Amino acid sequence: MSRSGTDPELRQQAEEADGPAATFRASEHQHIRYNPLQDEWVLVSAHRMKRPWQGQVEPQLLKTVPRHDPLNPLCPGATRANGEVNPYYEGTFLFHNDFPALQPDAPDPGPSDHPLFRAEAARGVCKVMCFHPWSDVTLPLMSVPEIRAVVDAWASVTEELGAQYPWVQIFENKGAMMGCSNPHPHCQVWASSFLPDIAQREERTQQAYQSQHGEPLLLEYGRQELLRKERLVLTSEHWLVLVPFWAVWPFQTLLLPRRHVRRLPELTSAERDDLASIMKKLLTKYDNLFETSFPYSMGWHGEPLQTNYRCLRHHAAERLRALPEIHYSLGPKDLEAAAIS
């Protein structure tokens, strides 16, 4: 026999179920958020952070990276796979990838015999850029002037390859977890004869937004985040670092210029100095998060300029903001030397 009409507790539950909906709280209720750059919706289920298991804990890495290894093909003076010997470089070092994903003279696959088996030509150039001659000095451990030299090298190669190809992608995969096979601090530069799908969607969505609202999407987004102050991680005279509203990774950040800049070569000298400074602070916070050389994937997107540090969403901005801007590995002598440099 049903007790729904006589049991007060069951009756109360039924009344609550039929009553008005609870007040929405982003930290408690699942919802979907719109990513205007990719024209897609992402699921946010922040309440799942309360589940007991928080993910696998990796053991502390005891192996240290040697400052110079003559057998490491990215080190100064080392011999690479193609037999070429690296110069004894003292700053950045740019060279053609010995195992490129894109080559400039690849043949055209020709017409397809069926619409489900389409293929088109893909040509391009792949380069590798070493940030520093020492293998144990990653970007957060470099000085601001050294990082500024990297920014200048990024701008230069973007301008050079951008004169020949419609898309130039600079990206860094740091750490074995992110697929990096060599610990020496470096990034890759791919220039291609085609626009990747992500770039095409970003181009389409940003053009549509500017046509409808009369201003660049990311410029307005940056202004809105400055007003709301919920997801800001770092701010400077020329740059913003924030956790995007549509983030899908726990510590994902977006680095935005405060003015409308389309490509890296368009940055002024002051903006490049400021970029080097805020990058050092951000990447130091990442390392300080777990007191290890933090793995991430980073990529610069031009037209307009943006970068994503995608690492390993809800309280990420707060956690990153609270972290110190001095690297956890630096002792008193290191701090004194850093201050002098």
Side-chain angles (χ1 to χ4, degrees):
M1 180 172 63
S2 173
R3 299 177 55 199
S4 60
T6 59
D7 191 317
E9 184 178 347
L10 291 177
R11 187 166 58 249
Q12 181 180 356
Q13 292 176 358
E15 290 173 354
E16 290 177 351
D18 294 336
T23 302
F24 172 78
R25 295 191 299 277
S27 61
E28 298 292 334
H29 304 114
Q30 74 272 8
H31 57 287
I32 55 175
R33 295 186 178 186
Y34 182 61
N35 179 345
L37 281 174
Q38 293 300 316
D39 189 24
E40 65 182 11
W41 293 86
V42 298
L43 174 63
V44 178
S45 300
H47 60 281
R48 281 176 51 80
M49 294 297 290
K50 297 178 181 179
R51 68 193 192 277
W53 186 71
Q54 294 295 311
Q56 178 176 328
V57 177
E58 296 290 340
Q60 184 69 32
L61 296 177
L62 300 178
K63 181 181 177 182
T64 58
V65 177
R67 179 150 290 184
H68 181 271
D69 180 0
L71 299 180
N72 187 325
L74 299 187
C75 282
T79 301
R80 302 204 308 276
N82 64 356
E84 292 187 18
V85 178
N86 296 336
Y88 285 92
Y89 61 92
E90 297 181 350
T92 60
F93 173 46
L94 181 70
F95 61 94
H96 285 278
N97 195 319
D98 298 329
F99 301 97
L102 294 165
Q103 295 179 331
D105 54 357
D108 193 316
S112 171
D113 62 355
H114 193 282
L116 296 179
F117 298 90
R118 296 170 57 190
E120 295 185 6
R123 300 181 180 89
V125 171
C126 294
K127 295 191 175 188
V128 176
M129 181 187 297
C130 295
F131 298 147
H132 196 279
W134 295 350
S135 295
D136 60 341
V137 178
T138 56
L139 281 171
L141 293 173
M142 291 169 59
S143 68
V144 171
E146 288 173 332
I147 300 175
R148 163 64 195 267
V150 172
V151 172
D152 286 340
W154 283 342
S156 179
V157 72
T158 298
E159 190 165 37
E160 173 196 343
L161 296 178
Q164 308 169 56
Y165 295 97
W167 182 251
V168 179
Q169 179 67 70
I170 297 172
F171 64 96
E172 178 192 6
N173 293 327
K174 180 188 175 190
M177 183 183 296
M178 305 308 294
C180 181
S181 61
N182 193 309
H184 193 95
H186 70 285
C187 71
Q188 299 197 46
V189 185
W190 290 15
S192 63
S193 60
F194 59 91
L195 285 182
D197 286 348
I198 290 178
Q200 289 189 51
R201 285 197 297 271
E202 289 181 351
E203 180 75 5
R204 183 178 68 251
T205 57
Q206 290 177 100
Q207 285 182 352
Y209 187 92
Q210 182 147 7
S211 176
Q212 182 177 357
H213 300 281
E215 59 185 336
L217 185 158
L218 287 174
L219 196 63
E220 171 60 14
Y221 177 64
R223 282 199 293 261
Q224 286 296 320
E225 290 289 15
L226 276 172
L227 291 172
R228 298 165 188 258
K229 304 185 187 304
E230 299 173 29
R231 285 167 289 272
L232 292 176
V233 176
L234 288 166
T235 61
S236 66
E237 182 180 358
H238 300 288
W239 296 91
L240 306 175
V241 177
L242 52 90
V243 174
F245 178 72
W246 53 85
V248 295
W249 300 96
F251 298 105
Q252 179 177 339
T253 55
L254 185 65
L255 177 56
L256 294 173
R258 286 182 180 253
R259 72 177 180 94
H260 181 47
V261 183
R262 297 177 301 168
R263 299 166 65 245
L264 279 164
E266 297 178 6
L267 294 176
T268 66
S269 179
E271 288 169 336
R272 296 184 187 196
D273 284 339
D274 200 26
L275 175 57
S277 176
I278 204 167
M279 280 182 59
K280 181 175 176 66
K281 293 176 181 178
L282 173 62
L283 297 180
T284 294
K285 285 178 178 289
Y286 275 144
D287 277 8
N288 287 344
L289 187 61
F290 299 116
E291 295 193 353
T292 188
S293 184
F294 194 68
Y296 61 74
S297 288
M298 175 273 289
W300 286 101
H301 287 197
E303 301 285 337
L305 178 65
Q306 59 167 311
T307 186
N308 288 279
Y309 284 90
R310 301 183 185 273
C311 308
L312 272 165
R313 159 177 56 155
H314 176 58
H315 294 303
E318 183 179 342
R319 286 189 65 182
L320 288 172
R321 267 198 310 269
L323 291 166
E325 296 176 4
I326 302 298
H327 200 274
Y328 75 93
S329 67
L330 297 181
K333 290 185 179 179
D334 298 307
L335 293 175
E336 183 179 348
I340 295 174
S341 65

